[in-house]
């Protein structure tokens, strides 16, 4: 209503706007409203102008009213009523300071002191904001007194940010401790929620944009320094060095700028008072450019807080628990509702560390004691989880701390092997996949995330370059000490650089491996990771076009083999799993690494068939001690003794011991979700599967290339299966590696061929002459099941279900499966595959030669020692070693001779039962060649020798239906044409086989031998169904025809335009050329 009257009063001064009658009515209205109390005369005096007020008789003199109005406005505007300066009202402010300082402020006298301060403000007319400022200054000197916070809360909190902001002006540097006390006050008030962080934020310097620019500049300078460190200097390098020093100096200058960073100082004070909710709020505001390393007091406070937080838990697991009186000196922090809690168990530990490590991060490197404590607590938590599973995942939280904090922090710790050992105690609790994920993050992510780590990256690369320039074979042990020191802090950078050199320079491998002697287990584990990283590198061809191995891949494989032999405690499991993964997708390029590891760790290298002598071929029928001596593996086997044992432990680790035959003779089909295979069987199965499929890939390259890969796979399979058989302590021990229902798993599930299946099963079978009749029958049924399942697999893989005019594949296989055991008996098939070469042949002459050679060496050694040509102690050691080998050879010879004698006798006892139930003897030779001879001779040289020796035994025992002419005819029809499509190693096997065949024929060509051993024998008739015996002339004619056919086939291969046929025919002919004019008896 007053506003309406004001609008009408505005028209009062306008001429003609209001008539005199209207003016009279307006005056009457105002007076009436005033008399009735509807409007206040005081309000009208404030609203209406002086002319209207005079007309309405509210004032008597307008000029006098104006003079009074001006006087009041001047007093309100320009006259100061309260005193802000101490010198203007010194007594009042002095009394306020006296109230705050003369008596200790506390909860008991807080209300009294506040009442006195109120009285002083009123009596001396003091400015309350200046009084509040005085209270804050006194609070700075008694910062731990919480009563001041309650006292401040009595005042108007809206003025607090402005008062504190004035104290935080940029000209007030924080270079002195006295200047930094204001941040403690701000922290206490923020903790008490007297105001929010957003209220004080505008007064803090520098602003966010400036901090971001400085942070980006730091990273840019660090990257520039790293780039210049790895740059090749073509000049003297002085300008280059000056630029590097300039960049480093600028980084140091930035640290000085950060010293006056009020936001970091405020965070330090908030950490000091344990106001962790405010700390996190401040951290998230600075997250993009937060770097505590630029303010050392902040880092130290965070470290002190960590010590304080973990001490209760650490005391429970450390040795200090045995000394109750021991009390470590720690900085004390207040406990609060929203603060960091102290860790009394593993749950609270990970909760607190997860919060604090976001801020402290890699800067934990500044306190190795704290670093060690964290490692020990994490290790204890991982062990506790293994013993008793917890509700939360300890492993995930421990892995996060190791990945984001402990490993990157190790890069900044100055070469401390003790810290590496403590950290390895934690890292070793994880599986290799988790460990390698940590290392990968460390190498590829961590170094680019922080300027300090970037600088360390450049320094480590430079150190690696300098070390590589100094190392050689002569000083490898001396430089190895320096390498170990360098590897304590930055092993990933160091070894990644060294592997680049290894891939390029083969002559560096041995010196680098020798230099690794002093490295920690953590460094060796990282070497395996870096090795795997380079092996799995994409974009490079691992094999040459002709099937040869690329030089860089060959160098890595050589390094892997030598490394694991020398440092056998390193874990090669990751390499095996990697190769398994590659084999699963059909890539066999990496098997060279596995083959090299197996060769070096076991001491048995793959046989170079083109360089083997006749005596070495014959020694393959002996035991491992004979092979070591004859094949010159003595030094390798001696050096690989420990590594071979460790490799065996890797394959037998966590294998359960069960009763004999529990896995071998399990009947029935395998379950829908069968147990996983052991590592050894997984590897062997994948190699065998690739053997069967590699030549039929659609993306196959040149045939020669694929044949080379096939030979490597075959060599690896033989090498690996023989290693498992040699390392097994007994058949029961080997059986632990096999899955339940092994035959069904291998043949039906994994589609393995019978020859590879028997290679994997035979070490689990005890000698046949020791088997009871029931066990023997079960073994024969086992062999029968293998072949039947194999043919059933072929039926399921038939591609053309409908018969063509040329061939009915499905009908043929069905017929073969139904009539299989009419052409060959399960007993003959089982006996052929369940025996090994050493069961039917003992190379006694090779044993005697080896024993004679070693005896001669021992005599020469004794003579040299007697003539003082060699030291007595050294001679004694060598002599003891030779005597031990001699003893092993003699024991092995007698054991193998006894075994062979009993096996041959056992076969002789079964000769009448081998083929007694054959109803179609005319097809026996074809079936025997297809399912027995041909698959086995293709495997290895020893298997090729076994095949012909087994045939000779059948002739010696005069087994019914085994006919010489039939077998020769099948050989010529089935085996010789296969020379045109075999690999190089298979060609050697063919050559060895035919060498033994013609030796046998040469032996029978003596007429006296013929009449005593062959004439009137059941195997030397005109056919399997014929009873007419061959005469010696007929035998000679048959031999002549055989030579003609062999010569014709070899001529055809050699005259072919295909390189493979010419090469492999030459290989077969080379082995065939070893056939002597006069051969020894094939069997003793």
């Amino acid at each position: 209503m007053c506003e309406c009257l004001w609008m009408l009063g505005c028209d009062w001064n306008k001429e003609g706007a209001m008539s005199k009658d209207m003016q009279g009515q307006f005056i009457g209205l105002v007076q009436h409203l005033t008399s009735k109390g509807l409007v206040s005369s005081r309000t009208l005096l404030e609203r209406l102008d002086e002319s209207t007020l005079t007309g309405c008789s509210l004032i008597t003199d307008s000029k006098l009213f104006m003079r009074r109005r001006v006087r009041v406005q001047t007093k309100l505007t320009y006259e100061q009523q309260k005193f802000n300066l101490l010198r203007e009202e010194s007594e009042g402010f002095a009394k306020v300071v006296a109230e705050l300082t003369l008596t200790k402020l506390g909860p008991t006298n807080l209300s009294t002191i506040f009442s006195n301060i109120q009285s002083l403000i009123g009596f001396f007319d003091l400015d309350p904001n200046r009084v509040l400022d005085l209270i804050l200054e006194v609070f700075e000197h008694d910062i731990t007194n919480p009563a001041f916070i309650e006292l401040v809360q009595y005042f108007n909190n809206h003025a607090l940010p402005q008062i504190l902001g004035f104290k935080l002006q940029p000209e007030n540097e924080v270079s002195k401790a006295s200047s930094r006390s204001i941040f403690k006050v701000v922290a206490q008030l923020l903790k008490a929620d007297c105001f929010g962080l957003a209220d004080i934020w505008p007064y803090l310097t520098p602003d966010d944009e400036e901090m971001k620019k400085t942070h980006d500049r730091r990273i840019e300078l660090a990257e520039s320094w790293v780039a210049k460190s790895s740059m090749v200097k073509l000049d003297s390098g002085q300008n280059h060095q000056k630029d590097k020093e300039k960049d480093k100096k600028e980084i140091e200058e930035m640290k000085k700028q950060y010293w006056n960073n009020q936001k970091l100082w405020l965070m330090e004070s908030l950490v000091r008072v344990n106001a962790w909710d405010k700390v996190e709020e401040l951290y998230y505001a600075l997250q993009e450019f937060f770097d505590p390393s630029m303010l050392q007091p902040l880092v130290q406070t965070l470290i002190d807080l960590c010590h304080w937080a973990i001490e209760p838990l650490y005391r429970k697991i450390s040795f200090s628990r045995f000394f109750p009186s021991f009390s470590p000196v720690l900085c004390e922090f207040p406990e609060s509702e929203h603060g960091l809690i102290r860790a009394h168990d593993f749950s609270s530990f990970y909760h607190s560390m997860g919060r604090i490590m976001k801020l402290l991060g890699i800067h934990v490197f500044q306190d190795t004691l704290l670093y060690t404590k964290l490692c020990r607590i994490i290790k204890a938590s991982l062990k506790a989880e293994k013993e008793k599973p917890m509700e939360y995942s300890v492993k995930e939280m421990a892995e996060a701390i190791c990945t984001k904090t402990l490993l990157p922090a190790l890069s900044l710790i100055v070469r401390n092997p003790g810290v590496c050992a403590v950290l390895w105690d934690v890292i070793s609790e994880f599986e290799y996949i988790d460990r390698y994920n940590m290392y990968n993050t460390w190498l590829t992510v961590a170094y680019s995330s922080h300027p300090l780590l970037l600088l360390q990256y450049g320094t480590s690369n430079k150190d690696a370059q300098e070390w590589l320039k100094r190392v050689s074979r002569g000083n490898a042990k001396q430089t190895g000490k320096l390498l170990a020191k360098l590897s304590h802090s930055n092993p990933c950078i160091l070894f990644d650089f060294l592997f680049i050199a290894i891939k390029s320079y083969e002559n560096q491998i041995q010196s680098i491996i020798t230099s690794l002697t002093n490295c920690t287990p953590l460094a060796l584990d990282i070497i395996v990771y870096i090795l795997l990283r380079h092996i799995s590198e994409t974009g490079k061809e691992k094999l040459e076009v002709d099937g040869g191995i690329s030089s860089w891949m060959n160098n890595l494989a050589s390094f892997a083999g030598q490394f694991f032999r020398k440092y056998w405690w390193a874990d090669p499991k990751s390499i095996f799993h990697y190769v398994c993964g590659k084999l699963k997708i059909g890539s066999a390029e990496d098997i060279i690494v596995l083959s090299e590891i197996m060769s070096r760790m076991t001491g048995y290298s793959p046989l170079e068939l083109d360089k083997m002598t006749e005596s070495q071929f014959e020694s393959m029928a002996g035991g491992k001690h004979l092979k070591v001596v004859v094949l010159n593996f003595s030094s390798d086997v001696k050096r690989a003794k420990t590594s071979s044992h460790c490799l065996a432990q890797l394959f037998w680790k966590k294998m359960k011991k069960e009763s004999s035959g529990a896995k071998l003779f399990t009947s029935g089909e395998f379950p829908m979700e069968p147990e996983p295979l052991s590592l050894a069987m997984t590897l062997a199965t994948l190699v065998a599967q690739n053997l069967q499929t590699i030549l039929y890939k659609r993306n196959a390259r040149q045939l020669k290339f694929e044949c080379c890969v096939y030979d490597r796979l075959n060599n690896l399979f033989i090498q690996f299966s023989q290693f498992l058989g040699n390392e097994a302590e007994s058949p029961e021990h080997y059986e632990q590696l096999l899955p339940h229902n092994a035959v069904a798993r291998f043949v039906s599930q994994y589609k393995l061929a019978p020859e590879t299946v028997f290679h994997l099963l035979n070490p689990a079978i005890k000698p046949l002459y020791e088997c009871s009749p029931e066990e023997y029958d079960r073994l024969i049924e086992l062999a029968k099941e293998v072949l039947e399942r194999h043919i059933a697999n072929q039926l399921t893989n038939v591609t053309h279900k409908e018969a063509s005019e040329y061939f009915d594949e499905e009908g043929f296989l069905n017929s073969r499966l139904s009539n299989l055991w009419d052409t060959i008996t399960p007993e003959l098939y089982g006996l052929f595959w369940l025996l090994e070469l050493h069961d039917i042949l003992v190379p006694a002459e090779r044993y005697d030669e080896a024993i004679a050679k070693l005896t001669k060496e021992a005599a020469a050694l004794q003579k040299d020692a007697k003539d003082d040509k060699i030291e007595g102690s050294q001679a004694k050691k060598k002599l003891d070693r030779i005597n031990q080998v001699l003893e092993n050879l003699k024991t092995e010879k007698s054991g193998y001779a006894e075994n062979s004698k009993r096996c041959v006798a056992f076969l002789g006892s079964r000769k009448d039962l081998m083929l007694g139930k054959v109803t179609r003897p005319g097809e026996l030779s074809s079936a025997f060649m297809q399912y027995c001879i041909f698959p086995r001779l293709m495997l290895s040289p020893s298997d090729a020798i076994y095949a012909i020796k087994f045939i000779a035994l059948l002739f010696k025992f005069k087994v019914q239906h085994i006919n010489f002419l039939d077998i020769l005819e099948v050989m010529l029809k089935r085996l010789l044409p296969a020379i045109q499509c075999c690999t190089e190693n298979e060609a050697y096997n063919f050559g060895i086989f035919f060498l033994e065949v013609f030796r046998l024929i040469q032996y029978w060509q003596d007429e006296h031998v013929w009449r005593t051993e062959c004439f009137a024998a059941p195997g030397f008739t005109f056919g399997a169904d014929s009873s007419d015996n061959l005469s010696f002339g007929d035998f000679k004619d048959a031999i002549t025809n055989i030579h003609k056919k062999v010569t014709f086939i070899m001529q055809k291969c050699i005259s072919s335009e295909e390189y493979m046929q010419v090469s492999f025919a030459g290989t077969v002919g080379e082995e065939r050329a070893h056939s002597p004019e006069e051969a020894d008896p094939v069997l003793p």
Side-chain angles (χ1 to χ4, degrees):
M1 191 176 292
C2 289
E3 296 296 335
C4 293
L5 294 177
W6 169 76
M7 291 180 65
L8 292 173
C10 290
D11 295 335
W12 184 274
N13 296 325
K14 295 180 181 179
E15 296 182 1
M18 186 180 292
S19 61
K20 291 184 178 181
D21 294 337
M22 292 179 66
Q23 289 179 359
Q25 294 176 3
F26 177 69
I27 293 171
L29 174 61
V30 172
Q31 292 175 346
H32 180 73
L33 292 174
T34 304
S35 62
K36 295 297 183 180
L38 296 176
V39 293
S40 171
S41 58
R42 183 178 181 84
T43 305
L44 291 176
L45 289 173
E46 295 176 358
R47 294 288 190 275
L48 303 181
D49 58 19
E50 60 277 5
S51 58
T52 307
L53 293 173
T54 305
C56 296
S57 302
L58 293 176
I59 58 175
T60 56
D61 189 352
S62 60
K63 293 182 179 181
L64 180 61
F65 177 77
M66 283 299 298
R67 285 199 298 271
R68 289 179 178 176
R69 184 175 182 176
V70 169
R71 191 181 304 118
V72 170
Q73 287 180 348
T74 301
K75 185 176 181 180
L76 291 173
T77 305
Y78 298 102
E79 185 175 340
Q80 186 171 348
Q81 300 296 322
K82 299 171 184 177
F83 301 97
N84 289 319
L85 301 178
L86 292 176
R87 65 175 180 269
E88 293 180 354
E89 190 59 57
S90 58
E91 182 181 0
F93 288 117
K95 291 183 180 295
V96 171
V97 174
E99 284 290 334
L100 293 171
T101 58
L102 290 180
T103 59
K104 179 70 174 178
L105 185 64
T108 57
N109 59 354
L110 177 62
S111 58
T112 303
I113 291 178
F114 177 67
S115 178
N116 294 341
I117 292 174
Q118 276 186 315
S119 301
L120 291 171
I121 293 173
F123 184 79
F124 292 99
D125 201 14
L126 302 178
D127 184 1
N129 290 340
R130 187 64 183 91
V131 173
L132 179 58
D133 183 46
L134 282 176
I135 294 173
L136 294 177
E137 290 186 12
V138 177
F139 187 20
E140 286 185 45
H141 294 83
D142 191 10
I143 194 64
T144 59
N145 191 346
F148 278 99
I149 298 177
E150 297 184 30
L151 181 60
V152 168
Q153 289 176 338
Y154 284 123
F155 289 82
N156 184 3
N157 288 343
H158 295 292
L160 271 175
Q162 290 86 353
I163 296 173
L164 294 171
F166 178 79
K167 292 176 174 290
L168 294 172
Q169 289 179 358
E171 57 268 16
N172 299 331
E173 295 185 1
V174 290
S175 57
K176 298 180 181 179
S178 58
S179 303
R180 298 196 294 267
S181 58
I182 184 61
F183 295 104
K184 299 177 183 179
V185 174
V186 177
Q188 291 282 14
L189 296 175
L190 280 172
K191 182 181 179 181
D193 290 326
C194 295
F195 54 87
L197 184 61
D199 298 327
I200 196 67
W201 192 260
Y203 302 99
L204 299 174
T205 58
D207 59 19
D208 295 352
E209 194 64 31
E210 182 180 350
M211 289 183 67
K212 188 175 187 306
K213 288 181 180 179
T214 305
H215 181 74
D216 294 342
R217 179 58 181 163
R218 277 193 73 203
I219 295 179
E220 182 182 342
L221 288 173
E223 291 175 347
S224 173
W225 190 86
V226 171
K228 291 174 182 177
S229 297
S230 58
M231 192 179 298
V232 178
K233 302 180 287 295
L234 300 179
D235 56 1
S236 60
Q238 294 180 356
N239 296 330
H240 183 79
Q241 187 65 25
K242 286 181 180 179
D243 292 341
K244 285 172 55 182
E245 295 299 329
K246 182 180 178 181
D247 292 344
K248 208 165 186 178
K249 188 175 180 181
E250 187 174 351
I251 293 176
E252 294 299 325
E253 289 294 330
M254 288 182 180
K255 286 187 177 181
K256 296 180 181 179
Q257 296 177 11
Y258 269 83
W259 187 263
N260 291 322
N261 191 312
Q262 295 179 347
K263 295 174 181 177
L264 295 183
W265 278 110
L266 176 58
M267 179 176 285
E268 190 271 341
S269 299
L270 288 169
V271 173
R272 184 70 64 184
V273 300
N274 200 9
W276 203 255
D277 55 336
K278 303 298 181 183
V279 172
E280 289 182 331
E281 184 180 355
L282 181 56
Y283 165 74
Y284 288 123
L286 303 174
Q287 187 173 7
E288 294 182 4
F289 38 84
F290 176 73
D291 185 4
S293 65
M294 303 305 286
L295 189 64
Q296 181 57 33
L298 173 58
V299 176
Q300 189 58 47
T301 304
L302 289 169
I303 290 174
D304 293 340
L305 180 63
C306 276
H307 278 294
W308 173 82
I310 68 176
E311 183 59 29
L313 178 59
Y314 183 72
R315 194 171 181 82
K316 294 179 181 178
I317 66 170
S318 67
F319 289 107
S320 60
R321 67 183 184 274
F322 300 115
F323 306 97
S325 60
F326 173 75
S327 179
V329 179
L330 298 174
C331 294
E332 291 297 329
F333 290 83
E335 296 191 23
S336 60
E337 181 182 357
H338 300 290
L340 203 69
I341 59 174
R342 303 193 77 180
H344 294 275
D345 53 29
F346 295 124
S347 175
S348 56
F349 166 77
Y350 283 110
H351 179 265
S352 297
M353 289 303 103
R355 301 177 71 185
I356 197 171
M357 285 304 164
K358 289 187 295 186
L359 277 71
L360 183 57
I362 63 172
H363 304 287
V364 72
F365 82 91
Q366 297 187 22
D367 192 328
T368 54
L369 178 60
L370 174 61
Y371 193 100
T372 304
K373 286 182 177 180
L374 293 174
C375 291
R376 289 174 177 170
I377 293 176
I378 293 173
K379 179 183 177 182
S381 66
L382 292 171
K383 287 188 174 181
E385 186 184 38
K386 289 181 180 179
E387 296 172 359
K388 182 180 179 181
M390 303 181 185
E391 297 179 357
Y392 51 93
S393 178
V394 170
K395 180 181 175 183
E396 291 182 4
M397 293 185 286
E399 184 178 352
I401 293 178
C402 291
T403 304
K404 298 178 181 178
T405 303
L406 297 182
L407 283 173
L410 183 65
S411 300
L412 302 171
I413 297 177
V414 182
R415 300 175 184 176
N416 192 326
V419 171
C420 292
V422 174
L423 179 60
W424 174 245
D425 288 341
V426 177
I427 300 294
S428 60
E429 296 291 330
F430 294 93
E431 291 294 330
Y432 78 88
I433 296 179
D434 301 321
R435 297 201 307 269
Y436 290 1
N437 282 333
M438 297 180 201
Y439 301 153
N440 185 66
T441 304
W442 187 12
L443 178 61
T444 60
V445 178
Y447 281 102
S448 59
S449 65
H450 198 282
L452 290 178
L453 292 174
L454 270 174
L455 294 175
Q456 198 64 33
Y457 179 88
T459 304
S460 299
N461 257 331
K462 190 68 177 177
D463 291 341
Q465 292 176 20
E466 295 298 327
W467 181 87
L468 202 56
K469 292 177 183 177
R470 297 172 57 186
V471 69
S472 65
R473 286 194 176 185
N475 65 356
K477 291 185 178 180
Q478 290 76 13
T479 54
K481 297 177 182 179
L482 176 59
L483 179 66
K485 291 180 180 179
L486 295 176
S487 68
H488 293 331
S489 298
N490 294 276
C492 287
I493 301 298
L494 175 65
F495 296 128
D496 189 55
F497 185 84
L498 294 185
F499 269 101
I500 295 175
I502 288 171
K503 290 194 292 185
S504 302
Y505 307 105
E506 183 181 2
N507 57 353
Q508 293 277 15
I509 295 176
Q510 187 58 48
S511 56
I512 290 176
I513 287 179
T514 306
S515 301
L516 298 174
T517 305
N518 299 311
C519 289
T520 61
L522 175 62
L524 296 180
D525 192 57
I526 290 175
I527 288 174
V528 181
Y529 156 71
I530 298 294
L531 171 64
L532 188 59
R533 177 183 173 87
H534 282 269
I535 290 174
S536 59
E537 185 178 355
T538 57
K540 283 187 176 182
E541 288 293 336
K542 298 179 180 180
L543 299 177
E544 303 291 350
V545 178
D546 60 351
I549 305 167
S550 299
S551 60
W552 70 272
M553 188 65 182
N554 193 45
N555 291 350
L556 288 178
S558 177
F559 175 87
Q562 296 180 54
F563 173 79
F564 284 112
R565 181 180 65 185
K566 186 173 181 64
Y567 306 101
W568 45 265
W569 55 90
D571 186 7
K573 188 192 301 182
S574 58
I575 305 294
F576 290 122
H577 283 179
Y578 167 75
V579 175
C580 287
K582 297 291 285 186
L583 290 173
K584 282 182 180 179
I585 60 175
S587 175
E589 298 174 343
D590 300 283
I591 61 168
I592 178 62
V593 180
L594 185 57
S595 178
E596 194 69 22
I597 291 175
M598 292 293 303
S599 300
R600 298 284 185 171
M601 292 190 74
T602 62
Y604 296 94
S605 301
L607 301 175
E608 298 181 9
L609 301 180
D610 56 336
K611 298 180 181 179
M612 290 181 65
T613 64
E614 185 177 350
S615 62
Q616 289 176 332
F617 275 119
E618 293 179 5
S619 67
M620 296 171 65
K624 62 179 181 180
H625 295 294
L626 178 63
K627 293 176 184 176
V628 167
V629 175
V630 176
L631 298 176
N632 300 319
F633 290 157
S634 301
S635 59
D636 291 338
V637 171
K638 178 185 174 183
R639 285 184 292 175
K641 184 177 180 181
T642 305
S643 60
S644 177
H645 177 71
C646 290
L647 186 61
Q649 291 298 317
L650 173 66
F651 292 128
W652 266 276
K653 190 176 182 180
K654 297 181 180 179
M655 293 290 106
K656 296 181 180 179
K657 187 175 181 180
E658 300 187 25
S659 59
S660 177
K663 297 181 177 180
L664 200 61
F665 299 113
T666 307
S667 59
E669 297 295 329
F670 52 87
M672 294 298 295
E673 295 184 1
E675 61 174 334
L677 292 177
S678 63
L679 175 60
M681 288 299 109
T682 299
L683 191 56
T685 301
L686 288 170
V687 172
Q689 286 178 330
N690 278 266
L691 265 176
Q692 297 170 203
T693 59
I694 190 169
L695 296 179
Y696 304 98
K697 293 179 181 177
R698 293 182 179 179
N699 60 345
R701 289 178 260 191
Q702 294 183 7
L703 182 60
K704 182 180 178 182
F705 176 92
E706 297 301 333
C707 287
C708 290
V709 178
Y710 180 89
D711 283 341
R712 291 194 193 101
L713 279 168
N714 189 69
N715 289 340
L716 177 60
F717 178 78
I718 299 298
Q719 180 187 17
F720 187 64
S721 59
Q722 287 179 352
F723 165 74
L724 295 178
N726 291 336
E727 290 297 322
E729 299 171 0
S730 63
E732 293 78 13
H733 186 222
Y734 180 87
E735 193 176 352
Q736 296 175 18
L737 299 175
L738 298 176
H740 286 281
N741 203 353
V743 170
R745 293 285 295 276
F746 285 147
V747 182
S748 298
Q749 183 179 3
Y750 301 121
K751 314 297 182 185
L752 300 188
E755 57 269 23
T756 56
V757 173
F758 283 112
H759 252 283
L760 297 177
L761 296 182
N762 279 353
I765 299 172
K766 62 183 181 180
L768 297 181
Y769 53 80
E770 294 181 359
C771 295
S772 64
E774 294 78 11
E775 291 175 333
Y776 177 76
D777 292 340
R778 291 170 68 186
L779 286 174
I780 299 302
E781 286 297 321
L782 181 77
K784 179 181 177 182
E785 181 185 1
V786 170
L787 185 56
E788 288 178 347
R789 286 181 178 273
H790 174 64
I791 297 178
N793 286 341
Q794 292 178 325
L795 271 171
T796 59
N797 295 330
V798 171
T799 54
H800 301 286
K801 296 293 184 181
E802 297 181 2
S804 66
E805 59 179 314
Y806 302 105
F807 181 62
D808 181 6
E809 183 180 4
E810 186 174 14
F812 171 78
L813 289 174
N814 280 318
S815 173
R816 174 65 71 183
L817 184 60
S818 60
N819 301 322
L820 177 63
W821 305 117
D822 295 336
T823 58
I824 185 174
T825 62
E827 185 161 4
L828 175 62
Y829 180 80
L831 287 172
F832 179 84
W833 284 107
L834 295 175
L835 294 176
E836 301 289 343
L837 179 59
H838 61 80
D839 291 326
I840 61 175
L841 177 64
V842 177
E845 292 184 3
R846 303 309 167 196
Y847 273 106
D848 295 338
E849 289 177 2
I851 292 172
K853 178 183 176 182
L854 290 174
T855 304
K856 187 176 180 181
E857 288 181 10
L861 192 62
Q862 288 176 340
K863 183 179 179 182
D864 290 342
K866 187 176 181 180
D867 296 341
D868 296 331
K869 294 181 180 180
I870 189 172
E871 294 182 4
S873 59
Q874 186 177 0
K876 186 177 183 304
K877 288 182 180 178
K878 290 184 177 180
L879 194 59
D880 291 342
R881 188 163 57 248
I882 292 176
N883 290 333
Q884 181 63 45
V885 175
L886 281 170
E887 184 65 28
N888 292 337
L889 282 174
K890 292 175 182 178
T891 305
E892 186 176 78
K893 178 186 176 183
S894 61
Y896 271 58
E898 179 65 21
N899 174 71
S900 177
K901 179 181 178 182
R902 297 181 67 178
C903 278
V904 172
F906 179 80
L907 283 175
S909 66
R910 307 294 302 184
K911 65 178 181 179
D912 296 332
L913 301 175
M914 282 187 195
L915 296 171
K917 299 181 180 179
V918 172
T919 58
R920 299 163 67 178
E923 300 179 17
L924 170 63
S925 298
S926 177
F928 186 55
M929 192 63 60
Q930 178 181 357
Y931 296 121
C932 297
I933 302 299
F934 183 74
R936 186 142 192 178
L937 73 87
M938 299 289 275
L939 279 176
S940 66
S942 59
D943 287 298
I945 296 173
Y946 170 82
I948 187 59
K949 299 302 183 185
F950 190 87
I951 293 174
L953 268 180
L954 295 181
F955 282 120
K956 179 183 177 181
F957 292 141
K958 300 180 180 181
V959 178
Q960 294 292 330
H961 308 306
I962 297 294
N963 187 269
F964 172 74
L965 290 181
D966 281 354
I967 289 180
L968 284 181
E969 183 181 359
V970 172
M971 283 184 186
L972 295 175
K973 288 183 178 180
R974 304 286 176 84
L975 295 187
L976 282 176
I979 297 174
Q980 304 180 50
C981 56
C982 65
T983 67
E984 185 174 2
N985 283 2
E986 290 174 341
Y988 277 109
N989 296 342
F990 269 118
I992 293 169
F993 177 79
F994 280 105
L995 171 63
E996 295 298 327
V997 168
F998 284 106
R999 277 181 174 175
L1000 180 60
I1001 292 174
Q1002 187 75 21
Y1003 172 67
W1004 283 336
Q1005 281 184 319
D1006 184 280
E1007 188 171 359
H1008 175 71
V1009 174
W1010 167 263
R1011 295 194 178 278
T1012 56
E1013 297 186 12
C1014 305
F1015 183 72
F1020 293 89
T1021 60
F1022 284 95
D1025 299 328
S1026 175
S1027 59
D1028 298 333
N1029 293 325
L1030 287 173
S1031 64
F1032 185 68
D1034 296 332
F1035 176 75
K1036 298 281 283 186
D1037 292 340
I1039 298 304
T1040 302
N1041 291 331
I1042 291 173
H1043 282 290
K1044 288 181 180 180
K1045 291 182 180 180
V1046 170
T1047 303
F1048 172 77
I1049 293 175
M1050 297 297 288
Q1051 279 182 334
K1052 186 176 181 181
C1053 289
I1054 293 174
S1055 61
S1056 172
E1057 295 180 357
E1058 293 290 337
Y1059 166 79
M1060 303 293 287
Q1061 294 185 15
V1062 176
S1063 174
F1064 298 154
T1067 301
V1068 174
E1070 180 182 357
E1071 293 300 322
R1072 170 68 185 88
H1074 292 154
S1075 179
E1077 295 181 359
E1078 294 183 3
D1080 298 328
V1082 70
L1083 289 174

